[in-house]
């Protein structure tokens, strides 16, 4: 039986200030992209640092491809881009990547071929001949990604890999990660950018105050709710109340227009006889057709109907709503 890429059992790191993480148990399969989410101060970076062998656990155990974390066998499989990266500003970008190749014991002939390819892939190209002191923060993050990939790792740990990049740069990083997935590389993505996790990852876990709060397949999480939007003309609050009473469905005015949407709530006068978006939680398309008919029968005009897919950000906010968070400044 092939060993999992990551097997963590009750992995714990306790600090005197109460930070760290406790009893984290996860399994990440070989070739899987795994998202690790959580508010600031949740303990995500602490967990990653234990897996890559930078800090020792207080308790628990973990392996990478069957090798104990911190061992040379485990470290030889790793590519790592830390959240806080610093590179020698007097070196050129190419020299920094070459230094990492030497540290990883990459054969020089292999490095000579791989380094220019990597610099091109991460978007540095000929700027690899410039000194790091002339790089923007985004360029340095691209450089860090090249360093993380120089040893052709079996598993890549990325701690906020595109936080300093503009939208074009984030898309380029996502494309790189997709290509890594296609090659069978395992990806462990620690990111605040939930769109990246949503588009790249197969499974994910949510950490809060050092403890796993929820976990599961990204596809299943995003399919748990099915909301539909109806663009309706001739709307009045009375008609909304009638729809709610007649159907016993969860129907509200979309929050996008800033209206109060709970049943029985008052609505701004400007909404009288206006065009609004209604949002409804429905179980199937038969209910969609039924609601369409009721809207039209009551004299309203139905302009558009669209299905709203839940975003990972919605799920995240719902999961942590009302909970305490350690935060950056606590």
């Amino acid at each position: 039986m092939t060993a999992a890429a990551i097997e963590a059992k009750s992995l714990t790191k306790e600090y005197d200030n109460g930070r760290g993480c406790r009893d984290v148990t996860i399994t990440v399969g070989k070739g899987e992209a795994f998202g690790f989410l959580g508010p600031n101060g949740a303990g995500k970076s602490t967990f990653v640092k234990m897996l890559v062998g930078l800090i020792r656990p207080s308790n628990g155990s973990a392996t990478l491809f069957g090798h104990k974390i911190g061992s040379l066998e485990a470290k030889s499989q790793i590519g790592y881009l830390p959240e806080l990266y610093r590179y020698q500003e007097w070196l050129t970008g190419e020299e920094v990547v070459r230094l990492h190749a030497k540290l990883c014991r990459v054969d020089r002939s292999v490095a000579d071929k791989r380094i220019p390819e990597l610099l091109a892939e991460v978007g540095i190209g000929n700027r690899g001949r410039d000194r790091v002191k002339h790089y923007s923060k985004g360029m340095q993050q691209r450089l860090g990604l090249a360093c993380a990939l120089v040893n052709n790792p079996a598993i890549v740990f990325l701690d906020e890999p595109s936080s300093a990049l503009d939208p074009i740069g984030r898309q380029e990083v996502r494309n790189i990660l997709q290509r890594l997935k296609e090659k069978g590389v395992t990806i462990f993505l620690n990111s605040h950018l939930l769109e990246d996790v949503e588009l790249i990852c197969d499974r994910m876990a949510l950490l809060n105050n050092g403890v796993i709060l929820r976990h599961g397949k990204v596809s299943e999480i995003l399919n748990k709710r099915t909301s539909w939007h109806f663009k309706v003309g001739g709307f009045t609050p009375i008609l909304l109340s009638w729809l709610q009473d007649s159907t016993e469905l969860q129907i509200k005015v979309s929050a996008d227009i800033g209206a109060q949407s709970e049943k029985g709530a008052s609505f701004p006068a400007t909404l009288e006889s206006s065009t609004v978006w209604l949002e409804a939680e429905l179980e199937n398309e038969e209910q969609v057709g039924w609601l369409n008919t009721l809207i039209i029968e009551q004299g309203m005009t139905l302009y558009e109907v669209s299905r709203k897919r839940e975003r990972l950000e919605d799920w995240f906010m719902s999961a942590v709503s009302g909970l305490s968070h350690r935060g950056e400044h606590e």
Side-chain angles (χ1 to χ4, degrees):
M1 183 175 179
T2 304
I6 301 173
E7 186 78 44
K9 298 179 180 179
S10 300
L11 201 60
T12 300
K13 181 62 178 181
E14 296 177 337
Y15 293 105
D16 293 338
N17 62 5
R19 290 183 179 273
C21 55
R22 302 185 304 278
D23 295 324
V24 178
T25 298
I26 62 168
T27 300
V28 178
K30 183 178 180 181
E32 185 176 20
F34 191 90
F36 205 52
L37 308 179
N40 290 334
K44 303 186 300 297
S45 293
T46 295
F47 183 71
V48 170
K49 288 177 181 177
M50 284 192 287
L51 292 180
V52 301
L54 290 178
I55 58 177
R56 292 183 178 179
S58 304
N59 202 358
S61 62
T63 59
L64 301 181
F65 299 104
H67 304 293
K68 184 177 179 181
I69 55 172
S71 67
L72 290 177
E73 292 85 356
K75 289 181 177 180
S76 66
Q77 309 280 335
I78 294 172
Y80 175 47
L81 173 60
E83 181 180 14
L84 300 176
Y85 44 86
R86 296 289 185 273
Y87 303 109
Q88 299 87 342
E89 63 177 16
W90 60 89
L91 296 178
T92 67
E94 182 178 335
E95 289 170 339
V96 170
V97 182
R98 191 169 294 279
L99 172 61
H100 281 76
K102 290 181 179 179
L103 292 172
C104 294
R105 298 182 179 178
V106 177
D107 185 85
R108 182 168 181 173
S109 62
V110 174
D112 288 342
K113 182 177 184 297
R114 183 160 177 76
I115 290 173
E117 294 174 348
L118 276 175
L119 292 174
E121 185 173 16
V122 301
I124 292 179
N126 291 332
R127 290 287 311 274
R129 300 167 185 170
D130 296 346
R131 298 192 185 281
V132 173
K133 66 179 179 181
H134 298 304
Y135 282 12
S136 66
K137 188 174 182 181
M139 286 289 288
Q140 290 192 42
Q141 195 159 42
R142 292 172 185 268
L143 179 63
L145 183 56
C147 292
L149 300 177
V150 71
N151 61 326
N152 198 23
I155 182 168
V156 181
F157 292 92
L158 304 171
D159 200 345
E160 302 293 347
S162 54
S163 58
L165 301 177
D166 60 21
I168 295 175
R170 290 199 295 271
Q171 180 61 54
E172 290 173 347
V173 169
R174 285 198 293 265
N175 291 340
I176 292 171
L177 298 184
Q178 290 288 3
R179 289 194 291 271
L180 290 173
K181 278 185 65 175
E182 292 171 2
K183 294 178 181 178
V185 177
T186 306
I187 298 170
F188 193 93
L189 179 60
N190 177 6
S191 178
H192 288 105
L193 299 173
L194 301 185
E195 184 180 11
D196 290 350
V197 175
E198 183 175 334
L199 293 173
I200 296 167
C201 295
D202 307 300
R203 290 191 304 123
M204 50 140 290
L206 174 61
L207 195 72
N208 187 61
N209 291 338
V211 178
I212 292 288
L213 191 63
R214 296 185 185 181
H215 60 86
K217 292 182 178 180
V218 174
S219 59
E220 292 178 357
I221 288 168
L222 296 180
N223 285 330
K224 282 186 176 179
R225 288 189 355 181
T226 303
S227 296
W228 290 81
H229 280 181
F230 301 79
K231 187 178 182 180
V232 176
F235 167 85
T236 66
I238 293 175
L239 288 172
L240 177 60
S241 297
W242 181 86
L243 285 173
Q244 292 170 330
D245 292 336
S246 300
T247 64
E248 298 184 352
L249 296 173
Q250 297 182 27
I251 307 172
K252 63 183 180 180
V253 175
S254 175
D256 294 341
I257 65 170
Q260 298 180 43
S261 56
E262 294 297 329
K263 182 177 178 181
S266 60
F267 290 84
T270 54
L271 287 179
E272 293 287 344
S273 301
S274 63
T275 298
V276 300
W277 282 95
L278 297 180
E279 182 176 344
E281 298 280 343
L282 304 176
E283 295 180 0
N284 51 55
E285 293 187 355
E286 284 75 15
Q287 288 186 335
V288 177
W290 179 39
L291 192 54
N292 288 347
T293 301
L294 292 177
I295 289 171
I296 294 170
E297 285 181 349
Q298 293 306 306
M300 291 180 278
T301 302
L302 184 62
Y303 293 109
E304 185 178 340
V305 179
S306 61
R307 182 174 181 173
K308 177 188 176 184
R309 184 169 65 89
E310 185 178 28
R311 309 294 294 185
L312 194 55
E313 182 175 359
D314 301 326
W315 177 88
F316 180 93
M317 296 304 297
S318 174
V320 301
S321 177
L323 300 178
S324 62
H325 315 297
R326 294 188 296 214
E328 292 179 325
H329 306 297
E330 295 182 11

